[in-house]
Amino acid sequence: MKKLLLTSIFSFLAIHLSAQGTFTPQQFLGYNIGEQFTRHHKVVDYFFALEKAFPGQIKVEKVGQTYEKRDLLLVFIGTPENLKKLGEIKQKHLTQAPDEKLAIVWLSYNVHGNESSGTEAAMQTAYRLLTDKAGYLENTIVIMDPCLNPDGRDRYVNFYYQYGANPIDMQRFSASHNETWPGGRPNHYLFDLNRDWAWMTQIESAVRVQQYNQWLPHVHVDFHEQGINEPYYFPPAAEPYHEVITNWQRDFQKEIGKNHAGYFDKAGWLYFSKEIFDLLYPSYGDTYPTYSGSIGMTYEQGGSGRAGLAVITQVGDTLRLADRVAHHVTTGLSTVETSARNAQKLVTEYQKFAKQKDFKYDTYVIKATSNQVEPLLVLLDKNNIDWQMISTSTQAVAAKGFHFKTGVQEAFKLEIGDIVVSTQQEKGTLVSVLFEPRTKLSDSLTYDITAWSLPYAYGLDAYAVDGALKATAYQATERSQTDFFATEGFAAYAVRWESMQTARFLNAVQMAGLKVYFHEKGFTHQGQKYAPGTILLLTGENKRPDFHKMVNDYASRYAVDIKGFTTGMVDSGADFGSSAVKMVPNPKVGILAGQNFSSLNVGEIWHFFEQQLNKPAHLIFEEDLSAALSSLDVLFVPEGGFDIAGNAALTKWVRDGGTLIVTGGAVEALADQEGFGLKRKEGSAGPSAPISYGNQERDQISDAIIGAIYPCKLDNSNPMAFGYNHYYTLRQGASVYEMEGKPVFELEKDAKAVNGFVGARVQKQQSEADIAGAVQYGRGTVVYLIDNPLFRGFWESGKLMVVNSIYFVNQ
């Protein structure tokens, strides 16, 4: 046995020394890491070169591509013995095998593209783990994602190479330290990928989390950068910690932080911890892993897009890319070192986490039609969350739970079609966090929104049940498909307007050339009620031989609730030839973009059209707007500082019949402007008492709303409310506006948030706050979406409001 062990060691050293003698980063790249920025294709080549130079110690996989067709990589680093058994190691971990012994450490870099030292550090860290730090791998498997956001990173690197001076210009006012819009931080669709872990609206997030959930590592680190004048941040994190985070997860953060501090103290590098970066919002690169059982952490190096290759800080120091890389390499290696030293404890504690699930609510029940609930089921599947559908039952099962709509405990019955999600599963902690009716805050100073409850975000009727349900008649099942068949005997087809699936169906049949109508008032036929907004496909208005076949094809493809009518006469309400039945337009849509607009909001709208509605929309820079207006029917103005009222060409276009949709903070530009029907509502809090300097930051949050959820009352007669019977808005600011006439969505009198933080001085001010509506401007319309309904692409229930504004308002 001793001879065999020595032979294995000598073999490993021979491979290690041979590779070390023939490969160095400088030799491959032509420069030392930290001296230049490395474009993504060269990063990909580098890791495959490492794989060739260190056979058996590193495995590189292409796992997907970005929207701009750049490769997404995963890199596995370990001893030759362990890399040969990756599948076995993963299986032991996922099944919590008694003989599991290796700590799995996942290192993620450059989720924000212009925080550019991350990917450079990944290259150096991988090399060090294969050479002088290979001893750490005896007890660990290291999984590395060298660049989570290749599109954004290459955008930044290309910018720097375009404007970077030679020799390096280190002054902050120079062009190379001031990125042009939209900057390298976001991905192709201008999303912040570090807010997208749980929602997976973007392809990079979906690919990454799919791979992540196949491993569920013991430790996960998300490498970032912050302002150039900040030192290094590492854990422990700041409060608030979510209450589900275990003592072990808290304690091991401290253990790793202490190890980092030892290296930084020795090198004389400044750092801080326990400040700013909390562990609450579930869609970060530290919290999502934490709620999935990892020790999830954020590391922040000073630098980001202002730093370039070198920059002079406010204290006169020079911050170089090489310094930033060195700091990230140090913490990355320190993380692996600490994990290797505590491998058995990490394994033991994860196994406890996977098995012990003790939450206030054990089960969540969702009641909705198949099309309404489908987006939620897609999200659950992406997150590896198990769910069941009540598919067979001899009798309805009585239960009692917290009703999300009413906010009180109520009796209800489980019925066929209900969705049941239990917290008693491996992803149970994540289920609890995503569904919880009210998030508990240990501190109101937070880094992000404080509420996200999925039943509210998806607009679904739901119950939270304390205890396991006693129903035995439910099982996982396939989602329903329409079994309707269109034939030449039908004079019309009706599709209930109830979800984004219906909206995609509408867009698809329009793009295919069919004429589509909508019923403005609603009607009843053969005992069935059809609400206002019901879509109608009239045989007489679509005189083409393939009409019925097309109806079949598209109804099947989009699984919509479609009904056939042999007559245009209904039992009650307006018949199909009435003026209450109007043609749905196929509007040409524009989205303003550029330096006066929030790139995040531009991206939310752009992504909505291209990837969710599948409808073309034009991105238009401000300087091209006048030339574009004659080709547009609808124009979106995203958040930012654009002077709407001062643009004569734009205001004339609206007066002549255009639809202007103003989102989020952009409404401020029209508040109190003559003719635009929007006024600021005065606050009622009154002056606050003088505050000491040390308490000013905490006092300011009394004037803030940090992502709180409010129920709305609706004007259901208005086309903007088609498809809604209730709506919850996510308020991200305290400003209150009043629209001319009756708003379509507004808060109740003396409104109270059902979840999330609301500052004490602005609570009363929210009473009857307007949320969304439309105001006539000449022959056109200005639509105000005061609370951004497309926030981060995950507020699913807000999307139909946007579609309604495009198709049905101003008709």
Side-chain angles (χ1 to χ4, degrees), residues 364-370 372-373 376 390 396-397 403 405 411-420 459-463 726:
Y364 294 91
V365 178
I366 299 100
K367 293 176 171 289
T369 69
S370 58
Q372 289 169 337
V373 80
L376 177 64
I390 305 288
V397 177
H403 193 185
K405 275 188 178 180
F412 68 97
K413 288 185 177 181
L414 279 177
E415 299 168 313
I416 292 176
D418 290 352
I419 302 297
V420 178
L460 301 172
D461 193 14
Y463 294 84
H726 67 279

mmCIF file of all heavy atoms in Angstrom, residues 364-370 372-373 376 390 396-397 403 405 411-420 459-463 726:
data_model
loop_
_atom_site.group_PDB
_atom_site.id
_atom_site.type_symbol
_atom_site.label_atom_id
_atom_site.label_comp_id
_atom_site.label_asym_id
_atom_site.label_seq_id
_atom_site.Cartn_x
_atom_site.Cartn_y
_atom_site.Cartn_z
ATOM 1 N N TYR A 364 -47.315 25.074 -0.070
ATOM 2 C CA TYR A 364 -47.963 26.179 -0.768
ATOM 3 C C TYR A 364 -48.874 25.601 -1.852
ATOM 4 O O TYR A 364 -48.484 24.684 -2.586
ATOM 5 C CB TYR A 364 -46.925 27.114 -1.382
ATOM 6 C CG TYR A 364 -46.100 27.825 -0.331
ATOM 7 C CD1 TYR A 364 -44.903 27.276 0.125
ATOM 8 C CD2 TYR A 364 -46.536 29.022 0.223
ATOM 9 C CE1 TYR A 364 -44.157 27.909 1.112
ATOM 10 C CE2 TYR A 364 -45.796 29.669 1.209
ATOM 11 C CZ TYR A 364 -44.609 29.106 1.648
ATOM 12 O OH TYR A 364 -43.879 29.739 2.626
ATOM 13 N N VAL A 365 -50.094 26.122 -1.919
ATOM 14 C CA VAL A 365 -51.081 25.644 -2.886
ATOM 15 C C VAL A 365 -51.448 26.805 -3.797
ATOM 16 O O VAL A 365 -51.790 27.898 -3.324
ATOM 17 C CB VAL A 365 -52.347 25.103 -2.178
ATOM 18 C CG1 VAL A 365 -53.374 24.660 -3.208
ATOM 19 C CG2 VAL A 365 -51.980 23.965 -1.242
ATOM 20 N N ILE A 366 -51.375 26.566 -5.109
ATOM 21 C CA ILE A 366 -51.681 27.601 -6.091
ATOM 22 C C ILE A 366 -52.899 27.185 -6.890
ATOM 23 O O ILE A 366 -52.985 26.044 -7.371
ATOM 24 C CB ILE A 366 -50.492 27.847 -7.052
ATOM 25 C CG1 ILE A 366 -49.261 28.324 -6.267
ATOM 26 C CG2 ILE A 366 -50.844 28.880 -8.105
ATOM 27 C CD1 ILE A 366 -48.264 27.262 -5.989
ATOM 28 N N LYS A 367 -53.849 28.101 -7.039
ATOM 29 C CA LYS A 367 -55.078 27.851 -7.786
ATOM 30 C C LYS A 367 -55.129 28.811 -8.976
ATOM 31 O O LYS A 367 -55.175 30.030 -8.798
ATOM 32 C CB LYS A 367 -56.307 28.070 -6.902
ATOM 33 C CG LYS A 367 -56.449 27.045 -5.770
ATOM 34 C CD LYS A 367 -57.628 27.381 -4.871
ATOM 35 C CE LYS A 367 -57.890 26.256 -3.891
ATOM 36 N NZ LYS A 367 -58.452 25.054 -4.531
ATOM 37 N N ALA A 368 -55.072 28.250 -10.185
ATOM 38 C CA ALA A 368 -55.093 29.083 -11.385
ATOM 39 C C ALA A 368 -55.345 28.203 -12.590
ATOM 40 O O ALA A 368 -55.245 26.974 -12.517
ATOM 41 C CB ALA A 368 -53.752 29.811 -11.543
ATOM 42 N N THR A 369 -55.687 28.836 -13.719
ATOM 43 C CA THR A 369 -55.812 28.081 -14.960
ATOM 44 C C THR A 369 -54.429 27.641 -15.414
ATOM 45 O O THR A 369 -53.406 28.165 -14.967
ATOM 46 C CB THR A 369 -56.459 28.931 -16.064
ATOM 47 O OG1 THR A 369 -55.547 29.975 -16.445
ATOM 48 C CG2 THR A 369 -57.767 29.540 -15.594
ATOM 49 N N SER A 370 -54.390 26.693 -16.331
ATOM 50 C CA SER A 370 -53.102 26.152 -16.776
ATOM 51 C C SER A 370 -52.238 27.228 -17.423
ATOM 52 O O SER A 370 -51.017 27.268 -17.208
ATOM 53 C CB SER A 370 -53.317 24.988 -17.749
ATOM 54 O OG SER A 370 -54.069 25.404 -18.871
ATOM 55 N N GLN A 372 -52.343 30.472 -16.824
ATOM 56 C CA GLN A 372 -51.914 31.436 -15.815
ATOM 57 C C GLN A 372 -50.760 30.901 -14.970
ATOM 58 O O GLN A 372 -49.853 31.633 -14.609
ATOM 59 C CB GLN A 372 -53.100 31.806 -14.917
ATOM 60 C CG GLN A 372 -54.144 32.667 -15.605
ATOM 61 C CD GLN A 372 -55.417 32.794 -14.787
ATOM 62 O OE1 GLN A 372 -55.726 31.955 -13.936
ATOM 63 N NE2 GLN A 372 -56.176 33.853 -15.040
ATOM 64 N N VAL A 373 -50.803 29.615 -14.639
ATOM 65 C CA VAL A 373 -49.793 29.052 -13.749
ATOM 66 C C VAL A 373 -48.551 28.580 -14.493
ATOM 67 O O VAL A 373 -47.498 28.369 -13.889
ATOM 68 C CB VAL A 373 -50.401 27.893 -12.925
ATOM 69 C CG1 VAL A 373 -50.456 26.596 -13.731
ATOM 70 C CG2 VAL A 373 -49.626 27.681 -11.633
ATOM 71 N N LEU A 376 -45.054 30.116 -13.774
ATOM 72 C CA LEU A 376 -44.513 29.729 -12.471
ATOM 73 C C LEU A 376 -43.943 28.318 -12.522
ATOM 74 O O LEU A 376 -42.865 28.056 -11.971
ATOM 75 C CB LEU A 376 -45.592 29.820 -11.391
ATOM 76 C CG LEU A 376 -45.142 29.363 -9.992
ATOM 77 C CD1 LEU A 376 -44.050 30.275 -9.462
ATOM 78 C CD2 LEU A 376 -46.323 29.309 -9.030
ATOM 79 N N ILE A 390 -52.748 18.432 -8.656
ATOM 80 C CA ILE A 390 -53.871 17.563 -8.305
ATOM 81 C C ILE A 390 -54.502 17.097 -9.619
ATOM 82 O O ILE A 390 -55.073 17.889 -10.351
ATOM 83 C CB ILE A 390 -54.920 18.315 -7.468
ATOM 84 C CG1 ILE A 390 -54.291 18.933 -6.228
ATOM 85 C CG2 ILE A 390 -56.069 17.392 -7.100
ATOM 86 C CD1 ILE A 390 -53.912 17.977 -5.167
ATOM 87 N N ALA A 396 -62.924 16.425 -2.997
ATOM 88 C CA ALA A 396 -62.092 17.569 -2.658
ATOM 89 C C ALA A 396 -61.599 17.429 -1.223
ATOM 90 O O ALA A 396 -62.330 16.969 -0.338
ATOM 91 C CB ALA A 396 -62.876 18.864 -2.828
ATOM 92 N N VAL A 397 -60.344 17.805 -0.991
ATOM 93 C CA VAL A 397 -59.732 17.682 0.331
ATOM 94 C C VAL A 397 -59.765 19.035 1.022
ATOM 95 O O VAL A 397 -59.286 20.035 0.478
ATOM 96 C CB VAL A 397 -58.284 17.169 0.214
ATOM 97 C CG1 VAL A 397 -57.627 17.110 1.583
ATOM 98 C CG2 VAL A 397 -58.273 15.795 -0.448
ATOM 99 N N HIS A 403 -54.196 32.886 3.251
ATOM 100 C CA HIS A 403 -54.632 33.234 1.901
ATOM 101 C C HIS A 403 -53.892 34.493 1.459
ATOM 102 O O HIS A 403 -54.027 35.556 2.079
ATOM 103 C CB HIS A 403 -56.147 33.473 1.889
ATOM 104 C CG HIS A 403 -56.731 33.529 0.518
ATOM 105 N ND1 HIS A 403 -58.048 33.840 0.283
ATOM 106 C CD2 HIS A 403 -56.183 33.301 -0.710
ATOM 107 C CE1 HIS A 403 -58.286 33.810 -1.012
ATOM 108 N NE2 HIS A 403 -57.159 33.487 -1.632
ATOM 109 N N LYS A 405 -54.367 36.472 -0.942
ATOM 110 C CA LYS A 405 -55.232 37.572 -1.371
ATOM 111 C C LYS A 405 -55.805 38.355 -0.203
ATOM 112 O O LYS A 405 -55.902 39.584 -0.251
ATOM 113 C CB LYS A 405 -56.386 37.032 -2.228
ATOM 114 C CG LYS A 405 -56.064 36.863 -3.698
ATOM 115 C CD LYS A 405 -57.336 36.519 -4.457
ATOM 116 C CE LYS A 405 -57.075 36.380 -5.944
ATOM 117 N NZ LYS A 405 -58.302 36.046 -6.709
ATOM 118 N N ALA A 411 -60.214 28.635 5.289
ATOM 119 C CA ALA A 411 -60.429 27.263 4.834
ATOM 120 C C ALA A 411 -60.554 27.260 3.311
ATOM 121 O O ALA A 411 -61.076 28.203 2.708
ATOM 122 C CB ALA A 411 -61.685 26.692 5.466
ATOM 123 N N PHE A 412 -60.061 26.192 2.699
ATOM 124 C CA PHE A 412 -60.194 26.035 1.261
ATOM 125 C C PHE A 412 -60.196 24.539 0.942
ATOM 126 O O PHE A 412 -59.954 23.702 1.819
ATOM 127 C CB PHE A 412 -59.069 26.752 0.514
ATOM 128 C CG PHE A 412 -57.700 26.141 0.702
ATOM 129 C CD1 PHE A 412 -57.179 25.250 -0.234
ATOM 130 C CD2 PHE A 412 -56.923 26.450 1.816
ATOM 131 C CE1 PHE A 412 -55.923 24.689 -0.075
ATOM 132 C CE2 PHE A 412 -55.671 25.895 1.984
ATOM 133 C CZ PHE A 412 -55.167 25.002 1.041
ATOM 134 N N LYS A 413 -60.443 24.212 -0.312
ATOM 135 C CA LYS A 413 -60.443 22.813 -0.728
ATOM 136 C C LYS A 413 -59.448 22.598 -1.853
ATOM 137 O O LYS A 413 -59.363 23.402 -2.787
ATOM 138 C CB LYS A 413 -61.846 22.393 -1.186
ATOM 139 C CG LYS A 413 -62.849 22.265 -0.054
ATOM 140 C CD LYS A 413 -64.182 21.738 -0.546
ATOM 141 C CE LYS A 413 -65.155 21.547 0.624
ATOM 142 N NZ LYS A 413 -66.458 21.005 0.154
ATOM 143 N N LEU A 414 -58.692 21.509 -1.745
ATOM 144 C CA LEU A 414 -57.839 21.085 -2.843
ATOM 145 C C LEU A 414 -58.720 20.526 -3.947
ATOM 146 O O LEU A 414 -59.583 19.689 -3.697
ATOM 147 C CB LEU A 414 -56.873 19.997 -2.378
ATOM 148 C CG LEU A 414 -55.607 20.443 -1.643
ATOM 149 C CD1 LEU A 414 -54.823 19.226 -1.196
ATOM 150 C CD2 LEU A 414 -54.742 21.317 -2.527
ATOM 151 N N GLU A 415 -58.461 20.994 -5.170
ATOM 152 C CA GLU A 415 -59.276 20.581 -6.299
ATOM 153 C C GLU A 415 -58.388 20.192 -7.468
ATOM 154 O O GLU A 415 -57.205 20.541 -7.514
ATOM 155 C CB GLU A 415 -60.217 21.726 -6.704
ATOM 156 C CG GLU A 415 -61.177 22.130 -5.593
ATOM 157 C CD GLU A 415 -61.895 23.433 -5.899
ATOM 158 O OE1 GLU A 415 -61.229 24.385 -6.311
ATOM 159 O OE2 GLU A 415 -63.128 23.472 -5.722
ATOM 160 N N ILE A 416 -58.959 19.476 -8.402
ATOM 161 C CA ILE A 416 -58.206 19.070 -9.588
ATOM 162 C C ILE A 416 -57.644 20.303 -10.289
ATOM 163 O O ILE A 416 -58.351 21.279 -10.515
ATOM 164 C CB ILE A 416 -59.110 18.261 -10.546
ATOM 165 C CG1 ILE A 416 -59.463 16.914 -9.915
ATOM 166 C CG2 ILE A 416 -58.416 18.051 -11.893
ATOM 167 C CD1 ILE A 416 -60.419 16.091 -10.736
ATOM 168 N N GLY A 417 -56.366 20.247 -10.636
ATOM 169 C CA GLY A 417 -55.687 21.357 -11.293
ATOM 170 C C GLY A 417 -54.864 22.210 -10.360
ATOM 171 O O GLY A 417 -54.014 22.978 -10.806
ATOM 172 N N ASP A 418 -55.100 22.109 -9.042
ATOM 173 C CA ASP A 418 -54.296 22.881 -8.091
ATOM 174 C C ASP A 418 -52.839 22.411 -8.120
ATOM 175 O O ASP A 418 -52.550 21.230 -8.336
ATOM 176 C CB ASP A 418 -54.837 22.728 -6.669
ATOM 177 C CG ASP A 418 -56.168 23.433 -6.465
ATOM 178 O OD1 ASP A 418 -56.586 24.163 -7.379
ATOM 179 O OD2 ASP A 418 -56.780 23.236 -5.396
ATOM 180 N N ILE A 419 -51.933 23.346 -7.871
ATOM 181 C CA ILE A 419 -50.504 23.042 -7.810
ATOM 182 C C ILE A 419 -50.071 23.040 -6.348
ATOM 183 O O ILE A 419 -50.405 23.955 -5.586
ATOM 184 C CB ILE A 419 -49.674 24.079 -8.596
ATOM 185 C CG1 ILE A 419 -50.130 24.116 -10.055
ATOM 186 C CG2 ILE A 419 -48.183 23.777 -8.496
ATOM 187 C CD1 ILE A 419 -49.938 22.835 -10.817
ATOM 188 N N VAL A 420 -49.323 22.015 -5.953
ATOM 189 C CA VAL A 420 -48.858 21.868 -4.582
ATOM 190 C C VAL A 420 -47.334 21.886 -4.581
ATOM 191 O O VAL A 420 -46.693 21.118 -5.309
ATOM 192 C CB VAL A 420 -49.361 20.552 -3.960
ATOM 193 C CG1 VAL A 420 -48.829 20.380 -2.539
ATOM 194 C CG2 VAL A 420 -50.883 20.510 -3.972
ATOM 195 N N GLY A 459 -49.147 36.940 -9.829
ATOM 196 C CA GLY A 459 -50.572 37.255 -9.843
ATOM 197 C C GLY A 459 -51.461 36.052 -9.660
ATOM 198 O O GLY A 459 -52.518 35.945 -10.291
ATOM 199 N N LEU A 460 -51.084 35.133 -8.767
ATOM 200 C CA LEU A 460 -51.795 33.873 -8.614
ATOM 201 C C LEU A 460 -52.483 33.782 -7.256
ATOM 202 O O LEU A 460 -51.966 34.276 -6.250
ATOM 203 C CB LEU A 460 -50.823 32.698 -8.768
ATOM 204 C CG LEU A 460 -50.086 32.635 -10.110
ATOM 205 C CD1 LEU A 460 -49.017 31.564 -10.079
ATOM 206 C CD2 LEU A 460 -51.062 32.388 -11.252
ATOM 207 N N ASP A 461 -53.629 33.126 -7.241
ATOM 208 C CA ASP A 461 -54.338 32.854 -5.991
ATOM 209 C C ASP A 461 -53.604 31.714 -5.289
ATOM 210 O O ASP A 461 -53.388 30.643 -5.882
ATOM 211 C CB ASP A 461 -55.774 32.466 -6.294
ATOM 212 C CG ASP A 461 -56.652 32.475 -5.056
ATOM 213 O OD1 ASP A 461 -56.227 33.027 -4.022
ATOM 214 O OD2 ASP A 461 -57.770 31.921 -5.127
ATOM 215 N N ALA A 462 -53.229 31.916 -4.023
ATOM 216 C CA ALA A 462 -52.398 30.911 -3.349
ATOM 217 C C ALA A 462 -52.661 30.898 -1.861
ATOM 218 O O ALA A 462 -53.143 31.877 -1.273
ATOM 219 C CB ALA A 462 -50.916 31.199 -3.614
ATOM 220 N N TYR A 463 -52.304 29.757 -1.255
ATOM 221 C CA TYR A 463 -52.419 29.552 0.187
ATOM 222 C C TYR A 463 -51.100 28.999 0.719
ATOM 223 O O TYR A 463 -50.452 28.170 0.071
ATOM 224 C CB TYR A 463 -53.535 28.560 0.517
ATOM 225 C CG TYR A 463 -54.923 29.035 0.178
ATOM 226 C CD1 TYR A 463 -55.426 28.882 -1.100
ATOM 227 C CD2 TYR A 463 -55.721 29.640 1.144
ATOM 228 C CE1 TYR A 463 -56.706 29.321 -1.419
ATOM 229 C CE2 TYR A 463 -57.003 30.081 0.838
ATOM 230 C CZ TYR A 463 -57.491 29.924 -0.453
ATOM 231 O OH TYR A 463 -58.742 30.363 -0.760
ATOM 232 N N HIS A 726 -57.180 40.842 -10.130
ATOM 233 C CA HIS A 726 -56.459 41.483 -9.032
ATOM 234 C C HIS A 726 -55.033 41.745 -9.501
ATOM 235 O O HIS A 726 -54.568 41.162 -10.484
ATOM 236 C CB HIS A 726 -56.454 40.611 -7.766
ATOM 237 C CG HIS A 726 -55.674 39.340 -7.907
ATOM 238 N ND1 HIS A 726 -56.172 38.213 -8.517
ATOM 239 C CD2 HIS A 726 -54.410 39.024 -7.525
ATOM 240 C CE1 HIS A 726 -55.270 37.251 -8.504
ATOM 241 N NE2 HIS A 726 -54.182 37.711 -7.909
#
